[in-house]
Every structure is written in C-alpha cells, then in structure tokens.
Amino acid sequence: MCEYIKAAQVLPSKRQLDWQKNEFYAFCHFGMNTFTGKEWGDGTDSPSKFNPTELDAEQWVTSIKSGGMKALILTCKHHDGFCLWPSKYTDYSVKASPFRDGGGDVVREVSDACRKHSIKFGVYLSPWDRHDERYGKGGEYNEYYKNQLRELLTNYGDIFCVWLDGACGEGKNGKVQEYDWAGYYKVIRELQPNAAICICGPDVRWVGNEAGVGRESEWSVVPSYYAVNEFTQEKSQKEDNKKFRKKHNEMVMDLGSRKAIKGAEEFVWYPSETDTSIRPGWFYHENEDHRVKSVDKLMDIYLSSVGNNSALLLNIPPDKRGLICKTDELTLDSFARKLKRTFPENLAENKSAYATSEKDEAHTAQNVLSQFDGYWECASDDETPEITVDLEEPTEIDSAVLMENIATGQQIESFEIYYEKKPGKWKRIAKKTVIGYKKIVPFKKSVKTRKIKVKITSYRVKATVLKLELYKSK
Ligand code: FUL
C-alpha cells in the first residue's frame, strides 16, 4: 500500500480529539525563578526566597478565561526542582517557604480556581531536576519522579494534560538521568486516563520552536519516528539559547506531505502544539514589562497556530506578588475582543449548501453549516469535489474557517476558495494546502458576494468537511 493511503487510515484517539478541541490555553510559568529573575534556576536557591504575598489564583484564572482560553497548565516543578505543592518526597518545596507560613499549596489553589471557573487544569512536572540528590542515579530518581506524578495526579481532581519537557541536563552530581518514559506514561494512564501526554509523550507533538510559528501545511499524521522522545529532546535541549528560542528554521517544515512521507513505513496521529510566551521569557521578569507582545502579534501567532491545524499554548507568567500583572491582563482582554471583532458572527450558519457530490444521505453538504456533529463527505469518484454556500443575498466576507472531520482522518491536501463575482462567474480568492482540525483563511481583501465555493483540489482517500464558517470582521 502506498504511503499516503496508509497515512489516510490513521485516526486520532478519543483523548487526542478531546485535547484538540481546547484550541487555545494557557501556560503559567511560576516558581523559584519568578523571585530570582532567572529562566533556569540551578536548584541552589533557598526556599525562603519564594514568597508571593498577594497570590490570587482566581485572578489568574479569570484573566485567562477572559482572554478566551479554555485550560491552564501550571509549572508545578521546573528544572530547579522547587515544588509548588508540599510534596511528601522532598523538603525543597512551598512547605519550607514563607508563603502562607509554610502551609500553602499553589497547585491546590490554582486547580481549585480552575474548577470553580470551568477551566481545565494541567500539570508540568520537569523531569530534569537540578536540585534533587537522586537525579542521575537511575531507578532511585525515576521512583521519586513517579511518586511526584502520583501526588499531582491523585490529589488535584481531573487533569487534562501532563506536559513533559524534553530538557535533560546534568544534575547536582554532574550526572545525567536516564528517564523511564514508559514508566511515567504508565502512571499517567493509570491515574488520569483522559490526560493528554504532551511533547515528550505519545499524544501531542511540539511544533518545533518557541516563537509561535506554525506550519502552513501542518499534518497531524506523521511518520512514527517523530513520536520518539529522543527526537524532541535533542531539539529542545540546546542550553537556554536565545537564538534557538527565536529561530524557527530548525523546524522541518513539511512532516506529512506525500513527498515528505515517502519511504516511511509506519504512521501515527501526532498533532502539533505551538507553545510561546506573551513575554520574552517563560518566567516573569520586571524588566520585560515593556516587552509584552502586542495584540497584533498575538493575532499573527493565533492565525499561524490555531489557524493552521495546531493548538496554541500561550504562557502568561504571574509576577512576584502572585498575580498576573496589569499589562498582560489588559493585553489578553484586548486580544479576546479582537478575536471577537475578527470572527463576530458566522454568516454561513443556517444558509444553504450544495456540493458536486455527496457520499450518501447522511453526509450532505448542508451538514457543514449546522452546529451538529454531522459532516459532508463527497462520493469516492469525485476527484475535485466542490462545496458551495449560498448566502441568499450579496454579503461581505473577509475570511473562511474550515474544519475537516478528523475523526475519520486527515485527508485534504489542497483546496481553493472562490467567490461568485457575477452570476455564474467565479473568481479565486485563496489557494491553500491542508485543513485538518481547523484552517483559518483570511482573504486578501473583503468580497461582496452571494456565493462562496470551496474546491478540494487534492485529497487522499476520503474528503470530508465538518464545518465551513464565513466571517466579516468589524
Ligand atoms: C523548555 C524549558 O527549558 C523552558 O524553561 C520552558 O519551561 C519551556 C516551556 O520548555 O524546554
């Protein structure tokens, strides 16, 4: 069987499908580095330095929610080894700090606030630990790490994601640890079977840069060697090198096209996540207060990631007080308003749609305009199927949002969008590759038209569209 036909059979797990629907969610880097001004602490800072005197997790969650995000991932332990919860297995934690007189638990406060405001909660637990004596000692450290996972995955309610970092440097004793990935996954699957294991794990792939740049042709089906942890580790492991963070040309730009998968034997569903920070660093630093990304920049990042079949994990680091600072909060709020202004109302909803072919009565073109789960699938002999939306009257449109029914695979390789200039006369407004879970297509200019047509110019085995939305920004 040729490669692309094989790739077309690969489907996402229920866990991956659920994860993908989050689309846009927050990272909160918070910990010892917040107080020392570092990005990578070496694990020698005294717990007495950790003292967020005004910590208010509800303020984090409400700003994240008003920014339009659906979940939050907290750095429960970063590379410095300092734990934000009173772990039974180490003294290097909040319990040795002045925070709430040693009686505090940041993980508890944040997870409770998330639950209260219906935001999903996820954990980041760095395997690299520059503080702990056991690091670099093989089994002993792996046991410690698994015990910490057990604490986080048992005591804090439902966890939507466990974010495993690829960084693996030297520990206190100069030794590098061999991680027991399979053992870590076993604990996660056992305790939180619905949690997606991200980045150094089987469910979600790192996009390949920290600059917020997605691929125009982002395939969720890739050769299975991309799911090998060493691959991610090697790429994310180059010291804390600023150049690497910003550069994105280290990224393989095409992982899934027919050309890129030639010769590959096995494929996996391994969708991409784009992680980037609203500030230059991952942790809060006062001297970066004037370098918070602009709303326009965030919009570019959003279109490049969410708009290109990736998810966006945007880092919003709380400050020394334990609050998300005003600039970041206001930026998030304005960004959410910009999103609403750009995609205010789906003008295609409840209009009518027809296609050059429909597989059967259950897969009609009309399905793509409804809010229900049904989708359109063309007949198998329709090589360049077209689906047309009739807006009933001339309507201004400046972007389209397309979704494939990824539950039956990612299959569309290229498509074009046309608008009807005069009755029966069509003009092309966009020419694009791949759709996947979601593709946002801003038009070069807005058009006034009664009909919009999507022509699928190449697909693998089946062509499906779950949703087609049309917008005019305000
Ligand atoms: C990297 C880490 O080294 C950074 O400090 C940060 O946590 C980022 C999200 O992942 O691998």
Side-chain angles (χ1 to χ4, degrees):
M1 197 192 290
C2 76
E3 295 91 346
Y4 77 91
I5 294 183
K6 220 171 172 183
Q9 323 296 323
V10 179
L11 307 181
S13 65
K14 160 100 174 41
R15 188 187 298 117
Q16 288 171 315
L17 273 177
D18 290 346
W19 163 84
Q20 188 97 52
K21 289 181 188 150
N22 296 315
E23 292 190 13
F24 177 35
Y25 43 97
F27 225 163
C28 283
H29 274 68
F30 185 65
M32 188 57 85
N33 296 335
T34 313
F35 297 86
T36 58
K38 297 176 196 159
E39 274 291 305
W40 280 10
D42 62 7
T44 58
D45 290 298
S46 158
S48 64
K49 295 184 183 166
F50 184 84
N51 193 17
T53 46
E54 296 170 49
L55 191 133
D56 178 1
E58 285 207 35
Q59 186 257 357
W60 306 11
V61 174
T62 47
S63 13
I64 277 156
K65 197 170 175 174
S66 79
M69 291 181 256
K70 298 199 183 109
L72 182 162
I73 301 173
L74 173 67
T75 51
C76 301
K77 170 179 101 167
H78 202 252
H79 309 329
D80 52 56
F82 183 77
C83 299
L84 295 186
W85 79 104
S87 172
K88 270 204 312 224
Y89 303 96
T90 179
D91 292 331
Y92 199 51
S93 81
V94 280
K95 75 180 172 221
S97 80
F99 170 61
R100 310 241 188 275
D101 293 326
D105 182 344
V106 181
V107 181
R108 166 85 50 231
E109 294 190 28
V110 177
S111 58
D112 282 352
C114 282
R115 209 162 308 116
K116 180 165 170 195
H117 295 277
S118 306
I119 289 290
K120 293 181 196 168
F121 179 64
V123 295
Y124 168 111
L125 181 69
S126 169
W128 185 20
D129 189 320
R130 303 175 86 184
H131 175 84
D132 201 85
E133 300 280 353
R134 286 160 284 195
Y135 187 88
K137 295 190 181 160
E140 224 185 307
Y141 177 77
N142 284 326
E143 237 0 89
Y144 170 60
Y145 186 84
K146 282 187 271 188
N147 279 330
Q148 293 204 313
L149 270 178
R150 285 189 191 102
E151 289 183 313
L152 292 173
L153 304 182
T154 312
N155 301 331
Y156 300 94
D158 282 347
I159 303 291
F160 89 100
C161 153
V162 179
W163 212 93
L164 298 177
D165 202 307
C168 172
E170 288 179 0
K172 229 177 175 170
N173 47 18
K175 291 195 186 134
V176 172
Q177 172 70 25
E178 210 171 296
Y179 300 139
D180 174 18
W181 293 116
Y184 304 166
Y185 303 158
K186 198 160 165 249
V187 173
I188 301 169
R189 292 291 196 240
E190 197 180 294
L191 299 174
Q192 295 281 344
N194 300 325
I197 309 177
C198 295
I199 308 312
C200 260
D203 299 323
V204 175
R205 165 173 53 89
W206 182 43
V207 75
N209 69 86
E210 294 178 344
V213 181
R215 293 180 180 79
E216 217 220 271
S217 299
E218 182 62 85
W219 283 95
S220 296
V221 183
V222 295
S224 50
Y225 46 76
Y226 287 115
V228 173
N229 289 334
E230 285 64 31
F231 179 82
T232 316
Q233 222 166 290
E234 197 213 311
K235 295 218 148 255
S236 64
Q237 225 324 274
K238 314 213 167 151
E239 280 298 306
D240 198 25
N241 176 340
K242 289 248 163 52
K243 255 203 210 139
F244 173 66
R245 288 165 168 281
K246 297 285 165 275
K247 250 186 0 187
H248 56 270
N249 56 7
E250 296 243 3
M251 267 211 314
V252 178
M253 287 311 283
D254 177 7
L255 304 179
S257 73
R258 289 190 199 197
K259 195 168 156 220
I261 64 178
K262 199 134 198 77
E265 282 169 15
E266 274 180 54
F267 298 92
V268 282
W269 188 272
Y270 202 30
S272 115
E273 178 192 74
T274 304
D275 63 329
T276 192
S277 183
I278 195 163
R279 293 161 163 262
W282 287 104
F283 285 88
Y284 174 84
H285 308 295
E286 207 172 331
N287 59 5
E288 291 178 351
D289 276 354
H290 62 290
R291 295 180 65 196
V292 175
K293 288 191 170 78
S294 69
V295 169
D296 286 345
K297 179 72 188 162
L298 290 179
M299 194 67 186
D300 286 349
I301 292 174
Y302 183 88
L303 293 175
S304 176
S305 53
V306 177
N308 274 325
N309 190 35
S310 187
L312 175 55
L313 173 57
L314 180 65
N315 181 58
I316 320 287
D319 64 15
K320 284 186 185 169
R321 297 169 302 167
L323 295 171
I324 288 176
C325 83
K326 255 296 154 294
T327 332
D328 305 43
E329 201 178 7
L330 292 175
T331 306
L332 276 183
D333 192 60
S334 319
F335 175 62
R337 279 187 282 117
K338 181 163 176 111
L339 267 184
K340 281 200 192 98
R341 280 199 311 277
T342 312
F343 307 107
E345 179 199 353
N346 172 16
L347 299 166
E349 196 174 315
N350 300 323
K351 295 293 181 323
S352 55
Y354 52 90
T356 45
S357 74
E358 291 170 343
K359 184 184 162 208
D360 52 36
E361 276 174 20
H363 298 89
T364 62
Q366 194 61 34
N367 284 343
V368 308
L369 305 186
S370 85
Q371 285 166 327
F372 304 108
D373 280 344
Y375 60 95
W376 165 64
E377 183 174 336
C378 71
S380 57
D381 59 353
D382 192 348
E383 284 178 14
T384 50
E386 297 176 6
I387 182 161
T388 304
V389 180
D390 184 346
L391 296 162
E392 288 155 19
E393 55 188 61
T395 311
E396 261 202 81
I397 303 291
D398 62 8
S399 70
V401 177
L402 287 139
M403 294 172 84
E404 234 174 297
N405 184 57
I406 56 167
T408 52
Q410 187 183 350
Q411 315 232 13
I412 295 175
E413 296 177 309
S414 58
F415 66 97
E416 296 170 352
I417 303 180
Y418 293 80
Y419 68 98
E420 196 185 44
K421 216 172 165 196
K422 284 190 217 139
K425 214 170 169 305
W426 295 91
K427 196 162 166 40
R428 193 169 74 191
I429 185 85
K431 183 174 185 298
K432 295 275 167 191
T433 57
V434 315
I435 297 181
Y437 169 74
K438 184 171 270 187
K439 185 84 167 185
I440 303 178
V441 187
F443 295 172
K444 284 172 234 110
K445 56 173 184 147
S446 101
V447 294
K448 194 163 187 179
T449 183
R450 186 177 153 166
K451 288 180 185 164
I452 293 276
K453 177 162 83 183
V454 176
K455 177 176 182 177
I456 296 163
T457 42
S458 174
Y459 66 94
R460 291 183 173 175
V461 179
K462 321 175 175 182
T464 69
V465 174
L466 177 67
K467 267 202 172 51
L468 199 180
E469 299 171 353
L470 300 171
Y471 293 95
K472 169 68 182 81
S473 57
K474 286 196 172 134

